[in-house]
Amino acid sequence: MNTQALSVPNISCNHCVMTIERELRNLEGVVAVDANAETKQVVVKWDDPARLGGNQSPVDRDNYPPA
């Protein structure tokens, strides 16, 4: 299992948290997502074949690009 913590400066409220968690959980292989509006961080745990990053990840499309 892979784990990565991402800094996501555009998180400002619980709606942002819910959107990010929902979109990332829809990716194949993602096991867990924990977004936090106070720390502006997202911790993602995944198994292969999931990959983080890329130009069109769901969080990029939803205006929450990682820093």
Tab-separated table of all heavy atoms in Angstrom:
chain	number	residue	atom	x	y	z
A	1	MET	N	0.854	-1.179	0.000
A	1	MET	CA	0.000	0.000	0.000
A	1	MET	C	0.895	1.236	0.000
A	1	MET	O	1.915	1.278	0.658
A	1	MET	CB	-0.914	0.002	1.218
A	1	MET	CG	-1.833	1.195	1.233
A	1	MET	SD	-3.000	1.270	2.614
A	1	MET	CE	-3.710	-0.338	2.603
A	2	ASN	N	0.489	2.215	-0.753
A	2	ASN	CA	1.188	3.491	-0.838
A	2	ASN	C	0.403	4.542	-0.074
A	2	ASN	O	-0.826	4.515	-0.060
A	2	ASN	CB	1.306	3.933	-2.300
A	2	ASN	CG	2.021	2.905	-3.142
A	2	ASN	OD1	3.200	2.681	-2.958
A	2	ASN	ND2	1.296	2.276	-4.045
A	3	THR	N	1.118	5.480	0.537
A	3	THR	CA	0.490	6.592	1.253
A	3	THR	C	1.210	7.870	0.880
A	3	THR	O	2.435	7.895	0.800
A	3	THR	CB	0.590	6.390	2.779
A	3	THR	OG1	-0.034	5.159	3.118
A	3	THR	CG2	-0.086	7.530	3.524
A	4	GLN	N	0.438	8.922	0.650
A	4	GLN	CA	1.032	10.220	0.365
A	4	GLN	C	0.184	11.324	0.978
A	4	GLN	O	-1.043	11.295	0.890
A	4	GLN	CB	1.161	10.453	-1.141
A	4	GLN	CG	1.906	11.733	-1.458
A	4	GLN	CD	2.261	11.844	-2.922
A	4	GLN	OE1	2.015	10.931	-3.709
A	4	GLN	NE2	2.829	12.958	-3.297
A	5	ALA	N	0.860	12.273	1.617
A	5	ALA	CA	0.199	13.466	2.145
A	5	ALA	C	0.429	14.598	1.154
A	5	ALA	O	1.557	14.822	0.703
A	5	ALA	CB	0.765	13.835	3.511
A	6	LEU	N	-0.644	15.277	0.804
A	6	LEU	CA	-0.582	16.376	-0.161
A	6	LEU	C	-1.020	17.674	0.502
A	6	LEU	O	-1.978	17.688	1.266
A	6	LEU	CB	-1.529	16.099	-1.333
A	6	LEU	CG	-1.328	14.789	-2.081
A	6	LEU	CD1	-2.506	14.539	-2.993
A	6	LEU	CD2	-0.033	14.840	-2.867
A	7	SER	N	-0.334	18.736	0.185
A	7	SER	CA	-0.757	20.070	0.601
A	7	SER	C	-1.686	20.603	-0.481
A	7	SER	O	-1.311	20.658	-1.658
A	7	SER	CB	0.468	20.973	0.744
A	7	SER	OG	0.061	22.295	0.995
A	8	VAL	N	-2.914	20.979	-0.081
A	8	VAL	CA	-3.906	21.470	-1.044
A	8	VAL	C	-4.426	22.819	-0.536
A	8	VAL	O	-5.390	22.887	0.220
A	8	VAL	CB	-5.054	20.459	-1.231
A	8	VAL	CG1	-6.023	20.944	-2.302
A	8	VAL	CG2	-4.510	19.082	-1.588
A	9	PRO	N	-3.763	23.909	-0.948
A	9	PRO	CA	-4.081	25.233	-0.400
A	9	PRO	C	-5.506	25.725	-0.649
A	9	PRO	O	-5.993	26.554	0.100
A	9	PRO	CB	-3.087	26.160	-1.106
A	9	PRO	CG	-2.046	25.293	-1.699
A	9	PRO	CD	-2.649	23.943	-1.877
A	10	ASN	N	-6.190	25.199	-1.660
A	10	ASN	CA	-7.535	25.689	-1.978
A	10	ASN	C	-8.629	25.108	-1.097
A	10	ASN	O	-9.792	25.470	-1.241
A	10	ASN	CB	-7.874	25.415	-3.447
A	10	ASN	CG	-7.093	26.308	-4.380
A	10	ASN	OD1	-6.381	27.205	-3.953
A	10	ASN	ND2	-7.188	26.042	-5.669
A	11	ILE	N	-8.306	24.199	-0.177
A	11	ILE	CA	-9.319	23.674	0.738
A	11	ILE	C	-9.695	24.783	1.719
A	11	ILE	O	-8.834	25.319	2.406
A	11	ILE	CB	-8.811	22.457	1.532
A	11	ILE	CG1	-8.473	21.301	0.611
A	11	ILE	CG2	-9.861	22.025	2.557
A	11	ILE	CD1	-7.871	20.116	1.342
A	12	SER	N	-10.988	25.110	1.772
A	12	SER	CA	-11.386	26.188	2.677
A	12	SER	C	-12.586	25.837	3.558
A	12	SER	O	-12.898	26.601	4.466
A	12	SER	CB	-11.703	27.456	1.873
A	12	SER	OG	-12.755	27.206	0.973
A	13	CYS	N	-13.245	24.706	3.279
A	13	CYS	CA	-14.444	24.380	4.052
A	13	CYS	C	-14.730	22.882	3.978
A	13	CYS	O	-14.062	22.146	3.260
A	13	CYS	CB	-15.638	25.163	3.518
A	13	CYS	SG	-16.092	24.706	1.826
A	14	ASN	N	-15.767	22.457	4.697
A	14	ASN	CA	-16.135	21.041	4.682
A	14	ASN	C	-16.681	20.584	3.335
A	14	ASN	O	-16.571	19.414	2.988
A	14	ASN	CB	-17.140	20.742	5.783
A	14	ASN	CG	-16.477	20.693	7.139
A	14	ASN	OD1	-15.284	20.403	7.242
A	14	ASN	ND2	-17.222	20.975	8.187
A	15	HIS	N	-17.264	21.484	2.569
A	15	HIS	CA	-17.710	21.121	1.220
A	15	HIS	C	-16.512	20.736	0.365
A	15	HIS	O	-16.561	19.767	-0.391
A	15	HIS	CB	-18.485	22.273	0.572
A	15	HIS	CG	-18.978	21.926	-0.794
A	15	HIS	ND1	-18.290	22.255	-1.921
A	15	HIS	CD2	-20.082	21.257	-1.189
A	15	HIS	CE1	-18.946	21.810	-2.976
A	15	HIS	NE2	-20.043	21.206	-2.558
A	16	CYS	N	-15.421	21.487	0.482
A	16	CYS	CA	-14.177	21.158	-0.231
A	16	CYS	C	-13.691	19.766	0.171
A	16	CYS	O	-13.321	18.956	-0.676
A	16	CYS	CB	-13.072	22.163	0.086
A	16	CYS	SG	-13.419	23.877	-0.340
A	17	VAL	N	-13.702	19.497	1.461
A	17	VAL	CA	-13.255	18.202	1.984
A	17	VAL	C	-14.097	17.083	1.384
A	17	VAL	O	-13.561	16.085	0.886
A	17	VAL	CB	-13.329	18.186	3.529
A	17	VAL	CG1	-13.174	16.779	4.069
A	17	VAL	CG2	-12.276	19.107	4.114
A	18	MET	N	-15.405	17.236	1.407
A	18	MET	CA	-16.297	16.207	0.876
A	18	MET	C	-16.075	15.982	-0.620
A	18	MET	O	-16.077	14.848	-1.092
A	18	MET	CB	-17.761	16.560	1.153
A	18	MET	CG	-18.121	16.486	2.613
A	18	MET	SD	-19.884	16.747	3.004
A	18	MET	CE	-20.376	18.035	1.891
A	19	THR	N	-15.880	17.056	-1.373
A	19	THR	CA	-15.652	16.942	-2.811
A	19	THR	C	-14.360	16.191	-3.096
A	19	THR	O	-14.335	15.268	-3.919
A	19	THR	CB	-15.602	18.339	-3.459
A	19	THR	OG1	-16.849	18.992	-3.249
A	19	THR	CG2	-15.308	18.245	-4.948
A	20	ILE	N	-13.293	16.562	-2.433
A	20	ILE	CA	-11.997	15.917	-2.651
A	20	ILE	C	-12.065	14.439	-2.272
A	20	ILE	O	-11.615	13.577	-3.031
A	20	ILE	CB	-10.894	16.646	-1.860
A	20	ILE	CG1	-10.652	18.016	-2.471
A	20	ILE	CG2	-9.613	15.825	-1.815
A	20	ILE	CD1	-9.811	18.940	-1.611
A	21	GLU	N	-12.614	14.147	-1.111
A	21	GLU	CA	-12.694	12.757	-0.667
A	21	GLU	C	-13.541	11.926	-1.632
A	21	GLU	O	-13.165	10.810	-2.003
A	21	GLU	CB	-13.239	12.682	0.756
A	21	GLU	CG	-12.260	13.194	1.785
A	21	GLU	CD	-12.762	13.152	3.204
A	21	GLU	OE1	-13.994	12.991	3.426
A	21	GLU	OE2	-11.929	13.275	4.104
A	22	ARG	N	-14.667	12.446	-2.063
A	22	ARG	CA	-15.543	11.715	-2.987
A	22	ARG	C	-14.838	11.433	-4.310
A	22	ARG	O	-14.849	10.306	-4.812
A	22	ARG	CB	-16.832	12.506	-3.248
A	22	ARG	CG	-17.778	11.789	-4.210
A	22	ARG	CD	-18.973	12.647	-4.608
A	22	ARG	NE	-18.511	13.773	-5.416
A	22	ARG	CZ	-18.710	15.065	-5.085
A	22	ARG	NH1	-19.354	15.391	-3.989
A	22	ARG	NH2	-18.268	16.024	-5.860
A	23	GLU	N	-14.195	12.444	-4.873
A	23	GLU	CA	-13.553	12.282	-6.178
A	23	GLU	C	-12.381	11.305	-6.116
A	23	GLU	O	-12.220	10.479	-7.007
A	23	GLU	CB	-13.088	13.639	-6.720
A	23	GLU	CG	-14.230	14.566	-7.074
A	23	GLU	CD	-15.124	14.022	-8.179
A	23	GLU	OE1	-14.615	13.404	-9.138
A	23	GLU	OE2	-16.351	14.223	-8.084
A	24	LEU	N	-11.578	11.396	-5.074
A	24	LEU	CA	-10.434	10.494	-4.980
A	24	LEU	C	-10.863	9.064	-4.665
A	24	LEU	O	-10.257	8.113	-5.159
A	24	LEU	CB	-9.431	10.995	-3.948
A	24	LEU	CG	-8.657	12.248	-4.361
A	24	LEU	CD1	-7.770	12.723	-3.231
A	24	LEU	CD2	-7.835	11.990	-5.620
A	25	ARG	N	-11.902	8.896	-3.866
A	25	ARG	CA	-12.381	7.544	-3.556
A	25	ARG	C	-12.926	6.829	-4.781
A	25	ARG	O	-12.985	5.602	-4.814
A	25	ARG	CB	-13.463	7.584	-2.477
A	25	ARG	CG	-12.898	7.794	-1.110
A	25	ARG	CD	-13.968	7.644	-0.037
A	25	ARG	NE	-13.415	7.964	1.256
A	25	ARG	CZ	-13.879	8.890	2.071
A	25	ARG	NH1	-14.951	9.579	1.738
A	25	ARG	NH2	-13.302	9.125	3.226
A	26	ASN	N	-13.322	7.579	-5.798
A	26	ASN	CA	-13.830	6.981	-7.025
A	26	ASN	C	-12.728	6.404	-7.902
A	26	ASN	O	-13.024	5.699	-8.861
A	26	ASN	CB	-14.631	8.009	-7.836
A	26	ASN	CG	-16.004	8.251	-7.248
A	26	ASN	OD1	-16.570	7.389	-6.594
A	26	ASN	ND2	-16.537	9.433	-7.479
A	27	LEU	N	-11.467	6.699	-7.597
A	27	LEU	CA	-10.368	6.180	-8.400
A	27	LEU	C	-10.091	4.726	-8.040
A	27	LEU	O	-10.058	4.361	-6.859
A	27	LEU	CB	-9.091	7.002	-8.169
A	27	LEU	CG	-9.133	8.459	-8.623
A	27	LEU	CD1	-7.828	9.149	-8.236
A	27	LEU	CD2	-9.373	8.551	-10.118
A	28	GLU	N	-9.902	3.900	-9.054
A	28	GLU	CA	-9.602	2.490	-8.826
A	28	GLU	C	-8.317	2.349	-8.013
A	28	GLU	O	-7.316	2.999	-8.307
A	28	GLU	CB	-9.439	1.778	-10.170
A	28	GLU	CG	-9.176	0.306	-10.036
A	28	GLU	CD	-9.018	-0.381	-11.370
A	28	GLU	OE1	-9.104	0.284	-12.411
A	28	GLU	OE2	-8.787	-1.597	-11.352
A	29	GLY	N	-8.364	1.553	-6.983
A	29	GLY	CA	-7.193	1.284	-6.168
A	29	GLY	C	-7.068	2.155	-4.939
A	29	GLY	O	-6.298	1.834	-4.036
A	30	VAL	N	-7.805	3.261	-4.868
A	30	VAL	CA	-7.729	4.135	-3.697
A	30	VAL	C	-8.424	3.436	-2.532
A	30	VAL	O	-9.571	3.011	-2.633
A	30	VAL	CB	-8.348	5.520	-3.969
A	30	VAL	CG1	-8.447	6.332	-2.688
A	30	VAL	CG2	-7.514	6.260	-5.000
A	31	VAL	N	-7.699	3.327	-1.422
A	31	VAL	CA	-8.190	2.607	-0.252
A	31	VAL	C	-8.782	3.558	0.776
A	31	VAL	O	-9.796	3.270	1.395
A	31	VAL	CB	-7.037	1.790	0.380
A	31	VAL	CG1	-7.477	1.108	1.648
A	31	VAL	CG2	-6.484	0.796	-0.625
A	32	ALA	N	-8.151	4.723	0.966
A	32	ALA	CA	-8.614	5.679	1.974
A	32	ALA	C	-8.204	7.085	1.581
A	32	ALA	O	-7.160	7.290	0.966
A	32	ALA	CB	-8.041	5.334	3.344
A	33	VAL	N	-9.041	8.047	1.956
A	33	VAL	CA	-8.754	9.464	1.739
A	33	VAL	C	-9.169	10.218	2.988
A	33	VAL	O	-10.276	10.021	3.494
A	33	VAL	CB	-9.538	10.039	0.530
A	33	VAL	CG1	-9.203	11.510	0.323
A	33	VAL	CG2	-9.279	9.247	-0.726
A	34	ASP	N	-8.293	11.081	3.477
A	34	ASP	CA	-8.609	11.898	4.641
A	34	ASP	C	-8.186	13.334	4.337
A	34	ASP	O	-6.999	13.644	4.324
A	34	ASP	CB	-7.876	11.378	5.881
A	34	ASP	CG	-8.209	12.183	7.126
A	34	ASP	OD1	-9.306	12.777	7.184
A	34	ASP	OD2	-7.366	12.232	8.032
A	35	ALA	N	-9.156	14.187	4.049
A	35	ALA	CA	-8.887	15.596	3.772
A	35	ALA	C	-9.207	16.418	5.016
A	35	ALA	O	-10.126	16.088	5.765
A	35	ALA	CB	-9.729	16.078	2.594
A	36	ASN	N	-8.450	17.497	5.225
A	36	ASN	CA	-8.623	18.320	6.413
A	36	ASN	C	-8.559	19.786	6.015
A	36	ASN	O	-7.532	20.253	5.510
A	36	ASN	CB	-7.527	17.989	7.431
A	36	ASN	CG	-7.724	18.687	8.742
A	36	ASN	OD1	-7.838	19.903	8.806
A	36	ASN	ND2	-7.758	17.907	9.808
A	37	ALA	N	-9.649	20.516	6.246
A	37	ALA	CA	-9.720	21.927	5.860
A	37	ALA	C	-8.812	22.800	6.718
A	37	ALA	O	-8.285	23.807	6.242
A	37	ALA	CB	-11.156	22.435	5.934
A	38	GLU	N	-8.630	22.435	7.989
A	38	GLU	CA	-7.790	23.250	8.879
A	38	GLU	C	-6.316	23.184	8.504
A	38	GLU	O	-5.635	24.202	8.484
A	38	GLU	CB	-7.981	22.816	10.326
A	38	GLU	CG	-9.325	23.200	10.894
A	38	GLU	CD	-9.465	22.816	12.356
A	38	GLU	OE1	-8.440	22.741	13.058
A	38	GLU	OE2	-10.605	22.584	12.782
A	39	THR	N	-5.836	21.974	8.194
A	39	THR	CA	-4.421	21.821	7.851
A	39	THR	C	-4.169	21.979	6.358
A	39	THR	O	-3.026	22.076	5.934
A	39	THR	CB	-3.886	20.446	8.294
A	39	THR	OG1	-4.592	19.422	7.584
A	39	THR	CG2	-4.032	20.261	9.790
A	40	LYS	N	-5.253	21.971	5.575
A	40	LYS	CA	-5.177	22.052	4.116
A	40	LYS	C	-4.331	20.915	3.543
A	40	LYS	O	-3.558	21.081	2.617
A	40	LYS	CB	-4.657	23.416	3.660
A	40	LYS	CG	-5.577	24.549	4.105
A	40	LYS	CD	-5.160	25.865	3.520
A	40	LYS	CE	-6.056	26.993	3.986
A	40	LYS	NZ	-7.424	26.906	3.567
A	41	GLN	N	-4.532	19.733	4.133
A	41	GLN	CA	-3.825	18.542	3.677
A	41	GLN	C	-4.801	17.427	3.346
A	41	GLN	O	-5.889	17.334	3.918
A	41	GLN	CB	-2.849	18.045	4.730
A	41	GLN	CG	-1.624	18.909	4.865
A	41	GLN	CD	-0.519	18.173	5.597
A	41	GLN	OE1	-0.778	17.321	6.434
A	41	GLN	NE2	0.707	18.491	5.258
A	42	VAL	N	-4.353	16.569	2.422
A	42	VAL	CA	-5.097	15.385	2.044
A	42	VAL	C	-4.129	14.214	2.132
A	42	VAL	O	-3.051	14.252	1.541
A	42	VAL	CB	-5.652	15.495	0.608
A	42	VAL	CG1	-6.375	14.222	0.214
A	42	VAL	CG2	-6.561	16.701	0.469
A	43	VAL	N	-4.517	13.189	2.883
A	43	VAL	CA	-3.722	11.968	2.958
A	43	VAL	C	-4.460	10.904	2.162
A	43	VAL	O	-5.640	10.642	2.406
A	43	VAL	CB	-3.504	11.512	4.414
A	43	VAL	CG1	-2.737	10.198	4.457
A	43	VAL	CG2	-2.777	12.595	5.197
A	44	VAL	N	-3.747	10.314	1.193
A	44	VAL	CA	-4.345	9.307	0.321
A	44	VAL	C	-3.578	8.002	0.486
A	44	VAL	O	-2.350	7.996	0.481
A	44	VAL	CB	-4.290	9.752	-1.157
A	44	VAL	CG1	-4.994	8.739	-2.049
A	44	VAL	CG2	-4.889	11.129	-1.336
A	45	LYS	N	-4.325	6.905	0.622
A	45	LYS	CA	-3.735	5.572	0.659
A	45	LYS	C	-4.293	4.804	-0.532
A	45	LYS	O	-5.506	4.839	-0.771
A	45	LYS	CB	-4.088	4.851	1.958
A	45	LYS	CG	-3.480	5.504	3.172
A	45	LYS	CD	-3.825	4.750	4.429
A	45	LYS	CE	-3.206	5.497	5.625
A	45	LYS	NZ	-3.455	4.781	6.876
A	46	TRP	N	-3.404	4.128	-1.268
A	46	TRP	CA	-3.855	3.413	-2.452
A	46	TRP	C	-3.003	2.180	-2.717
A	46	TRP	O	-1.877	2.066	-2.246
A	46	TRP	CB	-3.844	4.338	-3.666
A	46	TRP	CG	-2.477	4.661	-4.202
A	46	TRP	CD1	-1.825	4.022	-5.221
A	46	TRP	CD2	-1.589	5.690	-3.758
A	46	TRP	NE1	-0.598	4.591	-5.429
A	46	TRP	CE2	-0.422	5.629	-4.545
A	46	TRP	CE3	-1.663	6.663	-2.773
A	46	TRP	CZ2	0.648	6.488	-4.377
A	46	TRP	CZ3	-0.586	7.525	-2.610
A	46	TRP	CH2	0.546	7.438	-3.404
A	47	ASP	N	-3.596	1.288	-3.464
A	47	ASP	CA	-2.929	0.098	-3.974
A	47	ASP	C	-2.847	0.239	-5.480
A	47	ASP	O	-3.640	0.969	-6.088
A	47	ASP	CB	-3.726	-1.168	-3.638
A	47	ASP	CG	-3.685	-1.503	-2.154
A	47	ASP	OD1	-2.635	-1.286	-1.521
A	47	ASP	OD2	-4.709	-1.985	-1.627
A	48	ASP	N	-1.917	-0.477	-6.081
A	48	ASP	CA	-1.841	-0.488	-7.543
A	48	ASP	C	-3.160	-1.005	-8.089
A	48	ASP	O	-3.779	-1.861	-7.457
A	48	ASP	CB	-0.682	-1.376	-8.002
A	48	ASP	CG	0.663	-0.785	-7.584
A	48	ASP	OD1	0.730	0.447	-7.445
A	48	ASP	OD2	1.611	-1.549	-7.395
A	49	PRO	N	-3.687	-0.489	-9.158
A	49	PRO	CA	-3.051	0.308	-10.189
A	49	PRO	C	-3.242	1.817	-10.041
A	49	PRO	O	-2.932	2.560	-10.951
A	49	PRO	CB	-3.751	-0.181	-11.453
A	49	PRO	CG	-5.162	-0.400	-10.996
A	49	PRO	CD	-5.016	-0.934	-9.580
A	50	ALA	N	-3.786	2.277	-8.934
A	50	ALA	CA	-4.029	3.719	-8.772
A	50	ALA	C	-2.708	4.485	-8.835
A	50	ALA	O	-1.655	3.988	-8.437
A	50	ALA	CB	-4.719	3.993	-7.446
A	51	ARG	N	-2.790	5.719	-9.357
A	51	ARG	CA	-1.643	6.616	-9.402
A	51	ARG	C	-2.126	7.994	-9.002
A	51	ARG	O	-3.212	8.410	-9.382
A	51	ARG	CB	-1.067	6.720	-10.816
A	51	ARG	CG	-0.408	5.490	-11.321
A	51	ARG	CD	0.218	5.706	-12.688
A	51	ARG	NE	-0.696	6.410	-13.586
A	51	ARG	CZ	-0.339	7.455	-14.345
A	51	ARG	NH1	0.866	7.925	-14.330
A	51	ARG	NH2	-1.214	8.032	-15.130
A	52	LEU	N	-1.307	8.700	-8.257
A	52	LEU	CA	-1.612	10.095	-7.944
A	52	LEU	C	-0.921	10.965	-8.967
A	52	LEU	O	0.114	10.610	-9.499
A	52	LEU	CB	-1.103	10.467	-6.553
A	52	LEU	CG	-1.887	9.916	-5.386
A	52	LEU	CD1	-1.346	10.501	-4.092
A	52	LEU	CD2	-3.358	10.243	-5.497
A	53	GLY	N	-1.516	12.127	-9.180
A	53	GLY	CA	-0.897	13.073	-10.103
A	53	GLY	C	-1.476	12.958	-11.486
A	53	GLY	O	-2.494	12.333	-11.710
A	54	GLY	N	-0.801	13.570	-12.417
A	54	GLY	CA	-1.303	13.619	-13.781
A	54	GLY	C	-2.030	14.927	-14.013
A	54	GLY	O	-2.478	15.579	-13.080
A	55	ASN	N	-2.146	15.278	-15.261
A	55	ASN	CA	-2.728	16.577	-15.607
A	55	ASN	C	-4.215	16.666	-15.332
A	55	ASN	O	-4.735	17.733	-15.091
A	55	ASN	CB	-2.478	16.882	-17.080
A	55	ASN	CG	-1.022	17.116	-17.362
A	55	ASN	OD1	-0.245	17.323	-16.431
A	55	ASN	ND2	-0.651	17.077	-18.623
A	56	GLN	N	-4.909	15.559	-15.366
A	56	GLN	CA	-6.362	15.617	-15.233
A	56	GLN	C	-6.863	14.784	-14.059
A	56	GLN	O	-7.863	14.095	-14.147
A	56	GLN	CB	-7.029	15.157	-16.531
A	56	GLN	CG	-6.867	16.158	-17.649
A	56	GLN	CD	-7.505	17.491	-17.298
A	56	GLN	OE1	-8.622	17.552	-16.823
A	56	GLN	NE2	-6.810	18.566	-17.535
A	57	SER	N	-6.160	14.838	-12.949
A	57	SER	CA	-6.670	14.130	-11.785
A	57	SER	C	-7.967	14.804	-11.353
A	57	SER	O	-8.189	15.983	-11.617
A	57	SER	CB	-5.653	14.127	-10.646
A	57	SER	OG	-5.560	15.402	-10.059
A	58	PRO	N	-8.846	14.076	-10.669
A	58	PRO	CA	-10.135	14.662	-10.274
A	58	PRO	C	-9.993	15.921	-9.435
A	58	PRO	O	-10.774	16.857	-9.592
A	58	PRO	CB	-10.799	13.546	-9.473
A	58	PRO	CG	-10.166	12.297	-9.950
A	58	PRO	CD	-8.762	12.667	-10.311
A	59	VAL	N	-9.018	15.989	-8.561
A	59	VAL	CA	-8.892	17.182	-7.728
A	59	VAL	C	-8.392	18.375	-8.527
A	59	VAL	O	-8.735	19.508	-8.223
A	59	VAL	CB	-8.012	16.934	-6.479
A	59	VAL	CG1	-8.704	15.987	-5.531
A	59	VAL	CG2	-6.644	16.429	-6.840
A	60	ASP	N	-7.596	18.142	-9.567
A	60	ASP	CA	-7.192	19.242	-10.440
A	60	ASP	C	-8.401	19.795	-11.193
A	60	ASP	O	-8.574	21.008	-11.298
A	60	ASP	CB	-6.131	18.786	-11.446
A	60	ASP	CG	-4.776	18.541	-10.818
A	60	ASP	OD1	-4.477	19.180	-9.791
A	60	ASP	OD2	-4.024	17.715	-11.365
A	61	ARG	N	-9.232	18.911	-11.708
A	61	ARG	CA	-10.416	19.335	-12.466
A	61	ARG	C	-11.379	20.100	-11.580
A	61	ARG	O	-12.093	20.997	-12.035
A	61	ARG	CB	-11.132	18.129	-13.069
A	61	ARG	CG	-10.425	17.519	-14.246
A	61	ARG	CD	-11.331	16.543	-14.971
A	61	ARG	NE	-12.000	15.609	-14.095
A	61	ARG	CZ	-11.573	14.376	-13.815
A	61	ARG	NH1	-10.465	13.927	-14.333
A	61	ARG	NH2	-12.273	13.597	-13.015
A	62	ASP	N	-11.431	19.767	-10.285
A	62	ASP	CA	-12.361	20.415	-9.366
A	62	ASP	C	-11.758	21.638	-8.686
A	62	ASP	O	-12.279	22.129	-7.696
A	62	ASP	CB	-12.847	19.438	-8.304
A	62	ASP	CG	-13.774	18.397	-8.901
A	62	ASP	OD1	-14.384	18.664	-9.948
A	62	ASP	OD2	-13.883	17.307	-8.318
A	63	ASN	N	-10.616	22.112	-9.191
A	63	ASN	CA	-9.953	23.324	-8.689
A	63	ASN	C	-9.330	23.146	-7.307
A	63	ASN	O	-9.328	24.067	-6.499
A	63	ASN	CB	-10.912	24.515	-8.693
A	63	ASN	CG	-10.150	25.827	-8.624
A	63	ASN	OD1	-9.041	25.938	-9.128
A	63	ASN	ND2	-10.739	26.820	-7.987
A	64	TYR	N	-8.825	21.942	-7.033
A	64	TYR	CA	-8.105	21.695	-5.782
A	64	TYR	C	-6.743	21.070	-6.106
A	64	TYR	O	-6.432	19.979	-5.628
A	64	TYR	CB	-8.895	20.744	-4.875
A	64	TYR	CG	-10.251	21.274	-4.492
A	64	TYR	CD1	-11.399	20.726	-5.020
A	64	TYR	CD2	-10.362	22.322	-3.599
A	64	TYR	CE1	-12.638	21.201	-4.677
A	64	TYR	CE2	-11.616	22.816	-3.250
A	64	TYR	CZ	-12.742	22.245	-3.784
A	64	TYR	OH	-13.975	22.732	-3.438
A	65	PRO	N	-5.917	21.746	-6.904
A	65	PRO	CA	-4.629	21.141	-7.263
A	65	PRO	C	-3.702	21.092	-6.053
A	65	PRO	O	-3.663	22.028	-5.257
A	65	PRO	CB	-4.085	22.080	-8.338
A	65	PRO	CG	-4.713	23.398	-8.035
A	65	PRO	CD	-6.083	23.064	-7.493
A	66	PRO	N	-2.952	19.982	-5.912
A	66	PRO	CA	-1.958	19.931	-4.838
A	66	PRO	C	-0.844	20.924	-5.096
A	66	PRO	O	-0.516	21.205	-6.240
A	66	PRO	CB	-1.430	18.498	-4.894
A	66	PRO	CG	-2.247	17.771	-5.900
A	66	PRO	CD	-3.045	18.760	-6.649
A	67	ALA	N	-0.274	21.446	-4.029
A	67	ALA	CA	0.833	22.392	-4.178
A	67	ALA	C	2.139	21.647	-4.320
A	67	ALA	O	2.304	20.544	-3.913
A	67	ALA	CB	0.901	23.300	-2.955
